[in-house]
Amino acid sequence: MVTTPKTMRTACDALATMDPAFAKAIERAGYPEPRVRERGYGTLLRTIVGQQVSVAAAASIWRKLEEQCGDLEQPANVAKASDEQLRAAGLSRQKASYARSLAEEVTSGRLDLANLPADDEEAIAALTRVKGIGRWSAEIYLLFAEGRADVWPAGDLAVQIEIGRILGHEARPSEKAIRELAEAWRPHRGAAAILAWHHYKVDMAVI
């Protein structure tokens, strides 16, 4: 699990032992803080709401959704909302269908967020059966909301860019390439991703 400063530091130290490039990255940027989100329906709904909009816009839509639907931690409130209510909150027609799909999957019991499969790939498959939840969203949920230590969001652009920089690559490695590279970092690939994001922020601040 990568949910506390202690477990994050332990995982990063293990990565530094596996590859000196990680040791240099930690020396330059310091240890990252763990990223922890609430486990459950609300976090996945926020993922859908936040797709392809700014943080400010997502926050505004969330407030309007609360006004239209009530407590958004209760999937039944979204499941019973009308299309007009969801659209009035600022959701596109597509996002409204995604939000409703997620709510219905949870309320029906087809998706049990309290008991996702222990195997990461099986958990990803369960999450991506929901309309609007792709592999990246599923991986981010498992990493941040469940603290799964070995989830590796290789499709994330910032991860690709920064892993390339950390390892000294001239060009950004592809998703396929960093999936292959990261096999050597098991079971600490989640910490590698969080370290990459942390290092990326430091690089952007310098630039």
Side-chain angles (χ1 to χ4, degrees), residues 52-114:
Q52 298 179 324
V53 299
S54 69
V55 172
S60 175
I61 293 169
W62 188 265
R63 287 193 299 272
K64 291 176 183 176
L65 267 178
E66 287 180 320
E67 293 170 2
Q68 294 289 334
C69 303
D71 183 4
L72 296 179
E73 296 299 326
Q74 302 300 320
N77 289 344
V78 174
K80 68 185 181 184
S82 68
D83 289 341
E84 289 73 19
Q85 285 178 297
L86 297 180
R87 296 296 300 279
L91 291 181
S92 66
R93 188 180 304 278
Q94 186 177 54
K95 281 192 180 182
S97 73
Y98 291 167
R100 193 182 303 284
S101 172
L102 173 61
E104 290 172 351
E105 288 293 312
V106 174
T107 55
S108 70
R110 290 189 295 270
L111 178 62
D112 184 354
L113 292 171

